[in-house]
Amino acid sequence: MLIPKASTVVSEALREQIMKGDWLVGSRLPSVEKLAELFQVGRSTIREALASLKAQGWVDVRHGGGTFVLKDKEPAIGIWQAPEIQDIKQLKAWLELRYILETESASLAAGRRSAEQLSELKQIIQEMMTLQEENQLDQADIRFHVAIAQASGNPLLAGTLESLFSSMGPIMRESRRLWLFAEQSEASRLSDEHFQLVEAIEQGSATLAKKRMASHLRKVEQTLQRLSNS
């Protein structure tokens, strides 16, 4: 039985507290520092938990302004939950769905993103360039792609993509680790591709944003397929 990540435990606990009414819609959650002290975990764990809640539409994380509750219950029709990846067939299906969702997200984000969302994307990339720990960089990469989906203006896109990432089983996590850390040049090239993608979104070019996202994901897909077949 897999032990859930600390950030998952924290995000679920916070969601339950919100649903119980401990924090009302529109209210501000305690600071990252206070939550870290409350749950006896590191600040990075709290940030990951809040990023997950944000992707699911529970909270709004405002840089320098705090975290605010957006809803206190699940909608009648919940976001679809992806099955955990256990074999190469499921991996191919996951990659195909991710490609469809993310290329369209990038295209929509080019026309709908706000200045604040654009700033957040750039900030995540800058953060990724300073991180050394594998798990932290992996989580930052996920936050980057979810943030693009959020910038699309369609809340269901971000929630569905978050569900896909959370469904990654051991094979997917190992593949992502090898993709990011097999060679330093790969991690550097990944940052360059992220910068180019944000540049297209900033320019407002839906066609270019979609093209660059497609190119980026095709490279990731080829690497993951090769690793999974080795």
Side-chain angles (χ1 to χ4, degrees), residues 121-134:
L121 288 170
K122 293 179 179 179
Q123 183 174 339
I124 293 174
I125 297 177
Q126 292 294 339
E127 178 184 336
M128 291 177 68
M129 295 177 67
T130 65
L131 294 174
Q132 298 295 326
E133 202 274 324
E134 294 181 9

Side-chain angles (χ1 to χ4, degrees), residues 102-201:
E102 293 218 58
T103 53
E104 289 303 321
S105 291
S107 176
L108 291 172
R112 298 177 178 176
R113 55 81 182 167
S114 66
E116 182 179 11
Q117 289 169 329
L118 188 62
S119 177
E120 179 181 8
L121 288 170
K122 293 179 179 179
Q123 183 174 339
I124 293 174
I125 297 177
Q126 292 294 339
E127 178 184 336
M128 291 177 68
M129 295 177 67
T130 65
L131 294 174
Q132 298 295 326
E133 202 274 324
E134 294 181 9
N135 183 62
Q136 291 181 351
L137 183 52
D138 183 65
Q139 289 298 318
D141 183 49
I142 290 176
R143 284 196 290 116
F144 175 80
H145 286 274
V146 171
I148 290 178
Q150 292 171 332
S152 74
N154 187 326
L156 294 181
L157 277 175
T160 302
L161 191 61
E162 176 74 9
S163 175
L164 286 182
F165 281 125
S166 68
S167 74
M168 293 188 297
I171 182 175
M172 197 63 192
R173 286 193 294 272
E174 179 65 9
S175 296
R176 284 178 59 83
R177 187 187 70 81
L178 292 173
W179 157 253
L180 289 170
F181 301 102
E183 296 181 13
Q184 185 61 38
S185 60
E186 294 290 357
S188 177
R189 182 159 62 85
L190 186 63
S191 294
D192 290 340
E193 291 180 6
H194 283 169
F195 270 121
Q196 293 173 10
L197 179 54
V198 172
E199 181 182 54
I201 293 174

Side-chain angles (χ1 to χ4, degrees), residues 42 62 64 79 88 103 107 182 193 218 221 230:
R62 305 173 188 173
I79 294 174
I88 188 63
T103 53
S107 176
E193 291 180 6
R218 286 305 186 199
E221 179 180 350
S230 63

Side-chain angles (χ1 to χ4, degrees), residues 65-129:
T67 302
F68 296 83
V69 178
L70 293 179
K71 65 179 182 181
D72 57 6
K73 60 184 177 181
E74 291 283 10
I77 301 177
I79 294 174
W80 170 77
Q81 295 295 311
E84 183 173 332
I85 298 169
Q86 298 179 335
D87 55 41
I88 188 63
K89 184 177 180 180
Q90 289 180 326
L91 175 59
K92 289 180 178 179
W94 185 94
L95 291 169
E96 187 175 80
L97 181 56
R98 180 186 176 185
Y99 180 87
I100 294 170
L101 291 174
E102 293 218 58
T103 53
E104 289 303 321
S105 291
S107 176
L108 291 172
R112 298 177 178 176
R113 55 81 182 167
S114 66
E116 182 179 11
Q117 289 169 329
L118 188 62
S119 177
E120 179 181 8
L121 288 170
K122 293 179 179 179
Q123 183 174 339
I124 293 174
I125 297 177
Q126 292 294 339
E127 178 184 336
M128 291 177 68
M129 295 177 67

